[in-house]
Amino acid sequence: MWHWLFLTVIFSPLLVLFVLRFYLRKTRWCTSKRRLDGRTAVITGSSGGTGKAIALDLAKRGCKVILACRNPIKAQAAVNEIRKLSSSSNVHFMKLDLASLRSVRYFVKEFESLEDRLDLLINNAGYLGPRSITEDGFERSLAVNYLGHFLLTNLLLPKLKASAPSRIINVSSDAFLKNSCTLDLEDPHYEKNPERYTYYGAYGRSKLAVMLFTAELAKTLDGTRVIPLSVHTGPVKSDLLRSWPGFGGFLLRLVAFLCFRSTTEGAQTPLHAALSDGMDDFTGCFIVDCQVHELPAHAKDKQMAQKLWAWSEAVCDIKVENGTATYA
């Protein structure tokens, strides 16, 4: 009896880990063989993790890839590695800090002076961690995950439209799927109620903003042959959990290491959205495991999407008309 009890205690957690790992790592793969010679892609947050894996795949297809990243040392190391693995010298780094609207504007200005076209914009960078306030007065997860990308995307629309057919891939998450996940534009930065801030709650709220932005962007770009899509990579062992402190953060990173998808596996759905034929019919949609995913009602709230867009224009000090952004 004690023998069987001992075996149960030892092997039950291992069995649970095995089943969890199998479930979380089950991946559909991008099957597109499309070449991208002569095309240009910008990928935010691509010095590591899923963004780096996406950049490597696109470079192997002949695409000119620009890594838009905050850390120059880490980004240049990624550039060197991708060049070596892809046998392509057409991989470059440009500095971009999405927590700073000033940095976003400077990036766009530099990009426009250097590049003639933009075929793919992959908004991948993300933040999940303790509450902090950016130089613009924004809560960091909302700034990095949504507002920085809102401004970046709208300022790059002229290049995307001139290079059409082109695509915008907004990397989201399933963190917004709970009906309890809502946007509060009266207190977007948790200034009135900082005690309500939770790492995953703020992250989910920023990703809900990404979903509503993608849907509204699809309306704005109707008829332009610029296709915006949002995607969920699935659980990936990347650097996203690096800012989660304490023992809880350690446990999450351990589970991620043991059970989550590799960065190559996590890159498959963004690559499918970026490369597959026939995506024009799904503009504004949410892609999960290389398939269109139905959204809950709160992620399809047209009135909230319009309010969010107007609020975002105001705080970013721009006005978007006919798919072109101007400074207000």
Side-chain angles (χ1 to χ4, degrees), residues 10-29:
I10 293 297
F11 287 105
S12 291
L14 295 177
L15 179 62
V16 170
L17 275 176
F18 176 79
V19 173
L20 184 64
R21 187 176 189 273
F22 177 80
Y23 172 74
L24 293 176
R25 294 198 64 173
K26 188 176 181 181
T27 305
R28 287 190 177 91
W29 290 76

Side-chain angles (χ1 to χ4, degrees), residues 54-287:
I54 295 170
L56 174 59
D57 186 283
L58 297 184
K60 288 179 177 179
R61 296 171 186 267
C63 186
K64 181 176 185 178
V65 181
I66 295 172
L67 277 58
C69 307
R70 179 173 54 89
N71 186 323
I73 297 175
K74 190 177 178 181
Q76 191 57 54
V79 166
N80 294 340
E81 182 181 349
I82 293 169
R83 285 178 175 176
K84 181 178 179 180
L85 293 175
S86 65
S87 299
S88 170
S89 60
N90 219 0
V91 182
H92 309 276
F93 157 67
M94 290 177 62
K95 185 174 174 58
L96 171 64
D97 182 359
L98 286 157
S100 166
L101 298 184
R102 178 179 56 182
S103 176
V104 173
R105 294 186 183 101
Y106 182 83
F107 173 89
V108 172
K109 185 177 180 180
E110 184 180 14
F111 179 86
E112 289 178 335
S113 68
L114 295 173
E115 303 298 331
D116 296 326
R117 62 183 302 119
L118 178 58
D119 303 273
L120 277 174
L121 172 60
I122 302 181
N123 292 322
N124 167 75
Y127 172 80
L128 187 158
R131 180 178 182 267
S132 64
I133 301 299
T134 69
E135 64 181 42
D136 300 299
F138 305 146
E139 185 273 311
R140 183 168 295 275
S141 59
L142 187 65
V144 174
N145 300 344
Y146 169 62
L147 279 171
H149 284 129
F150 174 88
L151 179 61
L152 176 70
T153 301
N154 279 302
L155 293 181
L156 288 175
L157 285 181
K159 286 287 186 186
L160 287 159
K161 290 165 64 178
S163 307
S166 54
R167 294 184 191 179
I168 302 164
I169 311 300
N170 292 325
V171 176
S172 185
S173 169
D174 61 357
F176 70 89
L177 289 175
K178 292 182 179 179
N179 290 327
S180 58
C181 182
T182 58
L183 283 173
D184 182 3
L185 296 182
E186 297 299 319
D187 188 23
H189 311 300
Y190 295 91
E191 294 172 310
K192 297 178 182 177
N193 298 290
E195 70 280 356
R196 291 177 53 208
Y197 183 92
T198 63
Y199 304 159
Y200 201 66
Y203 180 75
R205 191 157 80 161
S206 69
K207 292 303 186 178
L208 175 59
V210 170
M211 300 304 302
L212 295 171
F213 164 54
T214 304
E216 194 67 14
L217 186 62
K219 290 169 53 182
T220 300
L221 295 174
D222 184 41
T224 65
R225 297 192 301 157
V226 180
I227 306 301
L229 298 160
S230 58
V231 301
H232 174 39
T233 63
V236 180
K237 44 187 169 186
S238 65
D239 291 335
L240 185 62
L241 296 172
R242 67 185 179 275
S243 299
W244 197 302
F247 185 66
F250 168 77
L251 286 179
L252 283 171
R253 287 187 289 273
L254 179 61
V255 171
F257 176 76
L258 294 173
C259 300
F260 284 12
R261 297 174 182 179
S262 69
T263 55
T264 300
E265 291 169 335
Q268 296 311 304
T269 295
L271 288 170
H272 171 81
L275 300 170
S276 296
D277 296 330
M279 299 306 292
D280 297 25
D281 296 332
F282 302 105
T283 182
C285 287
F286 183 41
I287 313 296

